[in-house]
């Protein structure tokens, strides 16, 4: 396939090596990109080139490894297209994770409906709930809950390797088959299950005929199942472009298979290989160090040696320090940080990267804290303490029954348990009558558990009530506490949702039983959250993070301490699964895997790289990686005092972190920010989860049925309506009788809307819109528009009920929709919101008109633009008011709230 001439605006933006893939003569391509070589920039322009050549946006799919990466890629493409191809409408292009694409694809097929996705935390909770049903104690010879990690590891290999059922070892096959059966009967899908189902459906029904191009970012991290999906998707004339760095494959324990990017041309014929070797991020000596690390990695592309793209620094940017012991090591790191800070380097331009924060980070956090150095390391700072000193002890108390003591021994034991709990939580409660308040609040929660009340299943709500009563709340300047609460709430959410949910053939645990499940899940999963979740580069503090968390990021100054054998690198470990080595060997940890991680760590540094080991008097324990570099000529620096003073100085340009990408954000999230930036930060930045009620899903089910009726284009008979309701109204957190009542209620609402003449033919439904504003891309979905006889549009939104306190939010939403449609050149006449509940009750259409004059829409667009720019700057101040706080999900745990 001959690629069209490259537009001048692309040729002028890229280097010659970055332009290589644009002039290829083969259909498919593998782009092997070194660290800091501009792969994202290249990928953005490749997609833009397709659009410039006339490729329909809906025929392009770009897969990213994370949602955050997807948002960045989408925003960059939108910004470039808006500037260079203003007439191109990007509606229909897919840029996102593989899992999200699979879910979207499956929901568009008639075979799949009411699917609930099961993320990693949900999966852990689900296996816990099914422990006895799956007979895991017998399968693995381990009592509850010890076999959960084993089963999760095995089920992951089954999905990742795209194995048939007969490929599962006989010893665990009954448990796996039982698990898959529960998932199927309850319309639950794990991430791996989504990929498997989508691949099987595509294989049975053929590839996507209209698909023209598939781009896969971070291809070094794909697993066999993901490759099988891509092969099943693409028709014969479509192209596949893989972008990645074989040296940065660090997720082998999740199934990543580096051979896939190295052997790309074997799996996708008619393919060429292109290399981006120039590193534009790091100083040349840092690049040289990284190349020495790479030379010891056996499984890699032998032709891609990284080249420096920057001028040398005026001083040595790399230093290896050897100190005696971990205390001296922590002090040395703090000394380095203080030296840079004294010369004007901001705290957040420095990062301390470790193999394991939970295993090795505490001395550094303690050293920073003792010197007044601001530090960002939530799991080892106040956030981790909140989980360990408040959340876990409280749940441990509540999961047990506390009967009245019958003798002196029992009374002493009860007093000791109560004293231990109070001692743990006491420092967190600053109230005049703290102890009485705490025990009263705890007793009320315990009474609800004893009574087995339905509301006792609302663990997050009960937990937030307890925190509120005890005045344990988050402040706008306490980022560590926010993250700790976010971690705790996400784990609680996963367990709560799985155990509140109706699962066919499985009785729901008692409320106290669910509390017990949350307790064990926190114990199992808390450390995982501090090791591999992506970090947000916000806040003014020195970051202490794992290398896994730091992948894809960069800092002017990077410090790599704890370079000792068994710490970094870790000792090799087997995969420990039920599968044979032929299938599962790469799921273990090898020295080569550790070396790749060390390579990633070193290439995060732009200006200065410090390598530190605590083995000055025990050279045999010094990291193998340092011995390798010493053999290549790296010399130890005698002491911090011996370092050239010029090392501590960075110019303003040196300290730049690179331009932030434009944001890609949903309209509902941006409106949330406009109401209170602090609430947005709690929910969307650190992931604090709000509580939910049993009725969750009623409005969504009503909305979906309305949309399906409108798409049908004609009235449903009573039988058709009942059949549609039975299929699509699914409220798993309700009892079966409650769901049946809700289903009848929704059917009644549809019939009433039909009688009121609201189900007309001349409508368009589910209209996706995206608007490029100064600072980012804002997207939303319009429920429907009525097409008037003069072809103008009447924009309409359905609300199951309209609450006055939310009307400002509704109005801004509709004003944005009107603006988006006008940007597309469509005439919008008016807009309103239908109050479904009020209409059904009154027997007539009850609507609320929305002001969509040019002045009104320009005002809201200006407000949204300002919000985008403030989010990009990391500004999340509290904006308390009686109105905003009255409708805020975070109000109970917010110290900034308006209590008037």
């Amino acid at each position: 396939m001959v690629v069209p001439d490259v537009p001048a605006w692309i040729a002028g933006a890229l280097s010659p090596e970055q332009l290589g893939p644009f002039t290829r003569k083969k259909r498919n391509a593998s782009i092997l990109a070194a660290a800091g070589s501009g792969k994202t920039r290249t990928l953005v322009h490749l997609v833009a080139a397709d659009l410039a050549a006339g490729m329909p946006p809906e025929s392009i799919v770009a897969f990213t490894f994370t949602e955050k990466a997807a948002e960045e890629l989408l925003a960059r493409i939108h910004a470039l297209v808006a500037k260079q191809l203003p007439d191109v409408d990007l509606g229909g292009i897919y840029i996102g994770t593989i899992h999200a694409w699979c879910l979207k694809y499956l929901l568009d097929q008639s075979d799949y409906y009411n699917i609930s996705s099961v993320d990693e935390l949900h999966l852990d909770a689900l296996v816990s709930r099914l422990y006895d049903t799956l007979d895991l104690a017998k399968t693995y010879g381990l009592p509850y809950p010890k076999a959960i990690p084993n089963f999760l590891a095995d089920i992951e290999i089954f999905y990742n390797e795209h194995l048939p059922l007969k490929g599962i070892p006989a010893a665990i096959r009954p448990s796996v088959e039982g698990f898959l059966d529960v998932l199927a009967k309850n319309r639950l899908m794990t991430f791996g299950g989504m990929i498997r189902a989508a691949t099987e459906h595509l294989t049975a029904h053929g590839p996507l005929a209209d698909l023209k191009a598939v781009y896969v970012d971070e291809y070094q991290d794909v697993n066999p199942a993901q490759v099988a999906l891509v092969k099943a998707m693409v028709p014969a004339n479509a192209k596949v472009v893989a972008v990645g760095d074989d040296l940065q494959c660090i997720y082998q324990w999740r199934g990543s298979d580096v051979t896939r990017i190295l052997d790309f041309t074997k799996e996708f014929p008619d393919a060429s290989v292109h290399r981006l070797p120039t590193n534009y991020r790091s100083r040349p000596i840092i690049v040289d160090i990284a190349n020495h690390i790479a030379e010891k990695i056996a499984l890699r592309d032998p032709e891609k040696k990284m080249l420096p793209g920057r001028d040398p620094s005026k001083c040595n940017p790399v230093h290896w320090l050897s100190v005696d012991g971990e205390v001296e090591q922590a002090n040395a790191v703090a000394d380095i940080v203080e030296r840079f800070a004294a010369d004007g380097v901001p705290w957040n331009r420095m990062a301390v990267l470790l193999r394991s924060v939970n295993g090795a980070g505490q001395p550094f956090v303690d050293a920073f804290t003792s010197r007044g150095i601001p530090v960002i390391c939530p799991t080892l700072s106040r956030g981790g303490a909140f989980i360990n000193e408040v959340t876990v002890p409280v749940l441990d108390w509540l999961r047990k029954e506390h009967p009245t003591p019958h003798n002196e021994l029992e009374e002493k034991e009860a007093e000791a348990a109560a004293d231990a709990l109070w001692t743990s939580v006491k420092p967190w409660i600053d109230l005049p009558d703290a102890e009485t308040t705490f025990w009263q609040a705890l007793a009320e929660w315990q009474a609800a558990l004893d009574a087995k009340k339905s509301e006792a299943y609302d663990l997050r709500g009960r937990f937030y009530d307890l925190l509120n009563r005890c005045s344990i709340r988050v402040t706008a300047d306490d980022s560590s506490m926010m993250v700790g609460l976010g971690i705790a709430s996400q784990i609680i959410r996963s367990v709560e949702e799985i155990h509140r949910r109706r699962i066919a053939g499985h009785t729901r645990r008692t409320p106290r039983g669910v509390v017990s499940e949350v307790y064990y899940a926190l114990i199992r999963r808390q450390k995982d959250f501090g090791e591999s979740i992506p970090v947000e580069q916000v806040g003014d503090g020195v970051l202490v993070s794992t290398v896994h968390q730091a992948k894809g990021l960069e800092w002017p100054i990077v410090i790599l301490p704890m370079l000792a054998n068994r710490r970094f690198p870790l000792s090799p470990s087997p995969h420990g699964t039920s599968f044979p080595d032929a299938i599962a060997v790469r799921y273990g940890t090898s020295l080569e895997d550790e070396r790749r991680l060390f390579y990633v760590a070193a290439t995060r540094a732009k200006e200065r790289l410090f390598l530190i080991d605590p083995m000055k008097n025990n050279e045999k324990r010094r990291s193998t990686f340092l011995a390798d570099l010493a053999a290549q000529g790296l010399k130890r620096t005698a002491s911090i005092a011996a370092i050239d003073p010029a090392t501590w100085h960075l110019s303003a340009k040196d300290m730049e972190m690179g331009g932030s990408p434009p944001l890609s954000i949903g309209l509902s999230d941006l409106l949330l920010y406009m109401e209170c930036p602090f609430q947005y930060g709690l929910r969307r930045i650190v992931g604090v989860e709000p509580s939910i009620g049993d009725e969750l899903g009623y409005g969504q089910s009503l909305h979906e049925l309305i949309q399906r009726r409108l798409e049908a284009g004609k009235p449903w008979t009573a039988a058709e309506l009942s059949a549609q309701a039975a299929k699509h109204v699914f409220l798993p957190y309700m009892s079966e009788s409650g769901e049946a009542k809700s289903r009848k209620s929704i059917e009644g609402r549809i019939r009433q809307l039909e009688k009121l003449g609201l189900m007309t033919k001349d409508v368009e439904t589910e209209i996706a819109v995206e608007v490029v504003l100064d600072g980012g891309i804002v997207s939303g979905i319009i429920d429907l528009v009525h097409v008037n006889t003069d072809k103008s549009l009447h924009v309409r939104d359905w609300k199951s009920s309209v609450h006055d306190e939310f009307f400002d939010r509704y109005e801004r939403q509709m004003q944005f929709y009107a603006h988006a449609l006008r940007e597309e050149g469509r005439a919008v006449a008016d807009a309103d919101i239908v109050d479904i509940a009020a209409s059904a009750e009154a027997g007539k259409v009850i609507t609320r008109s929305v002001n969509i004059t040019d002045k009104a829409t320009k005002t809201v667009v200006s407000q949204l633009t300002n919000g985008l720019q403030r989010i990009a700057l990391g500004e999340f101040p509290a904006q308390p008011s009686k109105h905003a706080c009255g409708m805020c999900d975070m109000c109970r745990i917010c110290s900034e709230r308006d209590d008037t």
Side-chain angles (χ1 to χ4, degrees), residues 678-702:
F678 187 47
Q679 179 190 184
Y680 172 89
L682 286 174
R683 292 190 59 175
R684 298 294 184 255
I685 302 299
V686 298
V688 178
E689 294 284 344
S691 58
I692 61 170
D694 289 344
E695 73 284 353
L696 180 71
Y698 180 93
Q700 181 179 342
S701 294
L702 173 60

mmCIF file of all heavy atoms in Angstrom, residues 678-702:
data_model
loop_
_atom_site.group_PDB
_atom_site.id
_atom_site.type_symbol
_atom_site.label_atom_id
_atom_site.label_comp_id
_atom_site.label_asym_id
_atom_site.label_seq_id
_atom_site.Cartn_x
_atom_site.Cartn_y
_atom_site.Cartn_z
ATOM 1 N N PHE A 678 -13.495 20.980 44.654
ATOM 2 C CA PHE A 678 -13.020 20.031 45.665
ATOM 3 C C PHE A 678 -13.760 18.702 45.568
ATOM 4 O O PHE A 678 -13.159 17.633 45.672
ATOM 5 C CB PHE A 678 -13.187 20.641 47.059
ATOM 6 C CG PHE A 678 -12.568 19.817 48.157
ATOM 7 C CD1 PHE A 678 -11.284 19.320 48.036
ATOM 8 C CD2 PHE A 678 -13.262 19.555 49.326
ATOM 9 C CE1 PHE A 678 -10.702 18.573 49.056
ATOM 10 C CE2 PHE A 678 -12.699 18.816 50.350
ATOM 11 C CZ PHE A 678 -11.411 18.323 50.219
ATOM 12 N N GLN A 679 -15.070 18.765 45.340
ATOM 13 C CA GLN A 679 -15.838 17.537 45.166
ATOM 14 C C GLN A 679 -15.332 16.772 43.940
ATOM 15 O O GLN A 679 -15.161 15.555 43.979
ATOM 16 C CB GLN A 679 -17.336 17.842 44.998
ATOM 17 C CG GLN A 679 -18.153 16.590 44.796
ATOM 18 C CD GLN A 679 -19.594 16.842 44.400
ATOM 19 O OE1 GLN A 679 -20.378 15.905 44.284
ATOM 20 N NE2 GLN A 679 -19.975 18.086 44.187
ATOM 21 N N TYR A 680 -15.077 17.498 42.851
ATOM 22 C CA TYR A 680 -14.534 16.870 41.638
ATOM 23 C C TYR A 680 -13.204 16.189 41.954
ATOM 24 O O TYR A 680 -12.959 15.055 41.537
ATOM 25 C CB TYR A 680 -14.341 17.919 40.547
ATOM 26 C CG TYR A 680 -13.611 17.408 39.326
ATOM 27 C CD1 TYR A 680 -14.299 16.830 38.271
ATOM 28 C CD2 TYR A 680 -12.222 17.483 39.234
ATOM 29 C CE1 TYR A 680 -13.628 16.348 37.151
ATOM 30 C CE2 TYR A 680 -11.548 17.006 38.129
ATOM 31 C CZ TYR A 680 -12.249 16.446 37.093
ATOM 32 O OH TYR A 680 -11.579 15.954 35.999
ATOM 33 N N GLY A 681 -12.331 16.888 42.685
ATOM 34 C CA GLY A 681 -11.030 16.309 43.023
ATOM 35 C C GLY A 681 -11.169 15.039 43.837
ATOM 36 O O GLY A 681 -10.466 14.055 43.588
ATOM 37 N N LEU A 682 -12.079 15.058 44.811
ATOM 38 C CA LEU A 682 -12.276 13.866 45.633
ATOM 39 C C LEU A 682 -12.767 12.692 44.794
ATOM 40 O O LEU A 682 -12.288 11.569 44.932
ATOM 41 C CB LEU A 682 -13.278 14.162 46.752
ATOM 42 C CG LEU A 682 -12.779 15.025 47.914
ATOM 43 C CD1 LEU A 682 -13.933 15.345 48.866
ATOM 44 C CD2 LEU A 682 -11.661 14.334 48.674
ATOM 45 N N ARG A 683 -13.717 12.940 43.926
ATOM 46 C CA ARG A 683 -14.339 11.845 43.186
ATOM 47 C C ARG A 683 -13.530 11.409 41.981
ATOM 48 O O ARG A 683 -13.418 10.218 41.714
ATOM 49 C CB ARG A 683 -15.753 12.244 42.760
ATOM 50 C CG ARG A 683 -16.711 12.392 43.932
ATOM 51 C CD ARG A 683 -18.147 12.537 43.473
ATOM 52 N NE ARG A 683 -18.587 11.398 42.677
ATOM 53 C CZ ARG A 683 -19.831 11.238 42.241
ATOM 54 N NH1 ARG A 683 -20.745 12.142 42.519
ATOM 55 N NH2 ARG A 683 -20.161 10.184 41.530
ATOM 56 N N ARG A 684 -12.987 12.363 41.238
ATOM 57 C CA ARG A 684 -12.373 12.008 39.959
ATOM 58 C C ARG A 684 -10.848 11.943 39.994
ATOM 59 O O ARG A 684 -10.251 11.244 39.184
ATOM 60 C CB ARG A 684 -12.803 13.016 38.883
ATOM 61 C CG ARG A 684 -14.296 13.034 38.634
ATOM 62 C CD ARG A 684 -14.774 11.709 38.032
ATOM 63 N NE ARG A 684 -16.181 11.765 37.710
ATOM 64 C CZ ARG A 684 -17.145 11.181 38.417
ATOM 65 N NH1 ARG A 684 -16.828 10.496 39.511
ATOM 66 N NH2 ARG A 684 -18.404 11.274 38.058
ATOM 67 N N ILE A 685 -10.209 12.661 40.889
ATOM 68 C CA ILE A 685 -8.744 12.627 40.947
ATOM 69 C C ILE A 685 -8.262 11.534 41.890
ATOM 70 O O ILE A 685 -7.389 10.738 41.537
ATOM 71 C CB ILE A 685 -8.173 13.994 41.376
ATOM 72 C CG1 ILE A 685 -8.634 15.092 40.411
ATOM 73 C CG2 ILE A 685 -6.648 13.925 41.430
ATOM 74 C CD1 ILE A 685 -8.189 14.894 38.980
ATOM 75 N N VAL A 686 -8.826 11.474 43.098
ATOM 76 C CA VAL A 686 -8.356 10.459 44.053
ATOM 77 C C VAL A 686 -9.323 9.293 44.194
ATOM 78 O O VAL A 686 -9.021 8.321 44.878
ATOM 79 C CB VAL A 686 -8.069 11.071 45.440
ATOM 80 C CG1 VAL A 686 -6.973 12.103 45.330
ATOM 81 C CG2 VAL A 686 -9.316 11.703 46.044
ATOM 82 N N GLY A 687 -10.495 9.353 43.560
ATOM 83 C CA GLY A 687 -11.368 8.181 43.471
ATOM 84 C C GLY A 687 -12.160 7.837 44.708
ATOM 85 O O GLY A 687 -12.422 6.655 44.950
ATOM 86 N N VAL A 688 -12.569 8.835 45.501
ATOM 87 C CA VAL A 688 -13.444 8.544 46.632
ATOM 88 C C VAL A 688 -14.822 8.172 46.083
ATOM 89 O O VAL A 688 -15.397 8.904 45.283
ATOM 90 C CB VAL A 688 -13.552 9.748 47.590
ATOM 91 C CG1 VAL A 688 -14.517 9.434 48.732
ATOM 92 C CG2 VAL A 688 -12.184 10.113 48.135
ATOM 93 N N GLU A 689 -15.348 7.034 46.525
ATOM 94 C CA GLU A 689 -16.588 6.498 45.970
ATOM 95 C C GLU A 689 -17.793 6.909 46.822
ATOM 96 O O GLU A 689 -17.799 6.707 48.035
ATOM 97 C CB GLU A 689 -16.516 4.966 45.918
ATOM 98 C CG GLU A 689 -15.483 4.424 44.957
ATOM 99 C CD GLU A 689 -15.918 4.527 43.514
ATOM 100 O OE1 GLU A 689 -17.131 4.730 43.271
ATOM 101 O OE2 GLU A 689 -15.055 4.405 42.628
ATOM 102 N N PRO A 690 -18.831 7.482 46.199
ATOM 103 C CA PRO A 690 -20.040 7.826 46.962
ATOM 104 C C PRO A 690 -20.829 6.574 47.312
ATOM 105 O O PRO A 690 -20.650 5.514 46.704
ATOM 106 C CB PRO A 690 -20.825 8.712 45.991
ATOM 107 C CG PRO A 690 -20.406 8.225 44.630
ATOM 108 C CD PRO A 690 -18.956 7.823 44.771
ATOM 109 N N SER A 691 -21.716 6.690 48.292
ATOM 110 C CA SER A 691 -22.574 5.560 48.649
ATOM 111 C C SER A 691 -23.685 5.428 47.616
ATOM 112 O O SER A 691 -23.979 6.362 46.868
ATOM 113 C CB SER A 691 -23.166 5.748 50.043
ATOM 114 O OG SER A 691 -23.901 6.962 50.110
ATOM 115 N N ILE A 692 -24.304 4.253 47.559
ATOM 116 C CA ILE A 692 -25.383 4.011 46.600
ATOM 117 C C ILE A 692 -26.576 3.421 47.325
ATOM 118 O O ILE A 692 -26.459 2.844 48.395
ATOM 119 C CB ILE A 692 -24.950 3.052 45.465
ATOM 120 C CG1 ILE A 692 -24.553 1.688 46.043
ATOM 121 C CG2 ILE A 692 -23.832 3.648 44.642
ATOM 122 C CD1 ILE A 692 -24.348 0.626 44.993
ATOM 123 N N GLY A 693 -27.746 3.539 46.710
ATOM 124 C CA GLY A 693 -28.971 2.981 47.266
ATOM 125 C C GLY A 693 -29.424 1.748 46.508
ATOM 126 O O GLY A 693 -28.926 1.446 45.418
ATOM 127 N N ASP A 694 -30.397 1.048 47.058
ATOM 128 C CA ASP A 694 -30.924 -0.154 46.400
ATOM 129 C C ASP A 694 -31.512 0.151 45.036
ATOM 130 O O ASP A 694 -31.560 -0.717 44.159
ATOM 131 C CB ASP A 694 -32.012 -0.803 47.266
ATOM 132 C CG ASP A 694 -31.443 -1.454 48.515
ATOM 133 O OD1 ASP A 694 -30.233 -1.670 48.552
ATOM 134 O OD2 ASP A 694 -32.230 -1.744 49.438
ATOM 135 N N GLU A 695 -32.002 1.392 44.875
ATOM 136 C CA GLU A 695 -32.715 1.729 43.646
ATOM 137 C C GLU A 695 -31.772 2.042 42.491
ATOM 138 O O GLU A 695 -32.222 2.399 41.401
ATOM 139 C CB GLU A 695 -33.627 2.935 43.890
ATOM 140 C CG GLU A 695 -32.922 4.273 44.026
ATOM 141 C CD GLU A 695 -32.227 4.476 45.367
ATOM 142 O OE1 GLU A 695 -32.401 3.626 46.263
ATOM 143 O OE2 GLU A 695 -31.507 5.475 45.528
ATOM 144 N N LEU A 696 -30.466 1.913 42.712
ATOM 145 C CA LEU A 696 -29.510 2.226 41.661
ATOM 146 C C LEU A 696 -29.878 1.509 40.364
ATOM 147 O O LEU A 696 -30.055 0.290 40.342
ATOM 148 C CB LEU A 696 -28.098 1.795 42.086
ATOM 149 C CG LEU A 696 -26.987 2.074 41.067
ATOM 150 C CD1 LEU A 696 -26.717 3.568 40.993
ATOM 151 C CD2 LEU A 696 -25.712 1.333 41.434
ATOM 152 N N GLY A 697 -29.996 2.253 39.296
ATOM 153 C CA GLY A 697 -30.296 1.668 37.998
ATOM 154 C C GLY A 697 -31.709 1.921 37.512
ATOM 155 O O GLY A 697 -31.997 1.696 36.335
ATOM 156 N N TYR A 698 -32.597 2.423 38.394
ATOM 157 C CA TYR A 698 -33.978 2.661 37.969
ATOM 158 C C TYR A 698 -34.019 3.704 36.843
ATOM 159 O O TYR A 698 -34.606 3.473 35.789
ATOM 160 C CB TYR A 698 -34.833 3.135 39.144
ATOM 161 C CG TYR A 698 -36.280 3.414 38.779
ATOM 162 C CD1 TYR A 698 -37.253 2.432 38.926
ATOM 163 C CD2 TYR A 698 -36.666 4.656 38.281
ATOM 164 C CE1 TYR A 698 -38.580 2.680 38.569
ATOM 165 C CE2 TYR A 698 -37.983 4.917 37.921
ATOM 166 C CZ TYR A 698 -38.935 3.929 38.082
ATOM 167 O OH TYR A 698 -40.229 4.179 37.723
ATOM 168 N N GLY A 699 -33.391 4.841 37.077
ATOM 169 C CA GLY A 699 -33.397 5.895 36.071
ATOM 170 C C GLY A 699 -32.735 5.462 34.783
ATOM 171 O O GLY A 699 -33.205 5.782 33.686
ATOM 172 N N GLN A 700 -31.627 4.719 34.897
ATOM 173 C CA GLN A 700 -30.926 4.247 33.707
ATOM 174 C C GLN A 700 -31.793 3.271 32.916
ATOM 175 O O GLN A 700 -31.842 3.326 31.684
ATOM 176 C CB GLN A 700 -29.614 3.581 34.111
ATOM 177 C CG GLN A 700 -28.785 3.079 32.941
ATOM 178 C CD GLN A 700 -27.484 2.437 33.387
ATOM 179 O OE1 GLN A 700 -27.029 2.636 34.513
ATOM 180 N NE2 GLN A 700 -26.873 1.663 32.509
ATOM 181 N N SER A 701 -32.491 2.373 33.611
ATOM 182 C CA SER A 701 -33.361 1.406 32.925
ATOM 183 C C SER A 701 -34.524 2.113 32.240
ATOM 184 O O SER A 701 -34.884 1.777 31.105
ATOM 185 C CB SER A 701 -33.895 0.384 33.927
ATOM 186 O OG SER A 701 -32.860 -0.422 34.435
ATOM 187 N N LEU A 702 -35.119 3.096 32.907
ATOM 188 C CA LEU A 702 -36.205 3.871 32.305
ATOM 189 C C LEU A 702 -35.701 4.592 31.062
ATOM 190 O O LEU A 702 -36.340 4.578 30.000
ATOM 191 C CB LEU A 702 -36.754 4.872 33.319
ATOM 192 C CG LEU A 702 -37.791 5.880 32.815
ATOM 193 C CD1 LEU A 702 -39.016 5.171 32.272
ATOM 194 C CD2 LEU A 702 -38.177 6.856 33.933
#
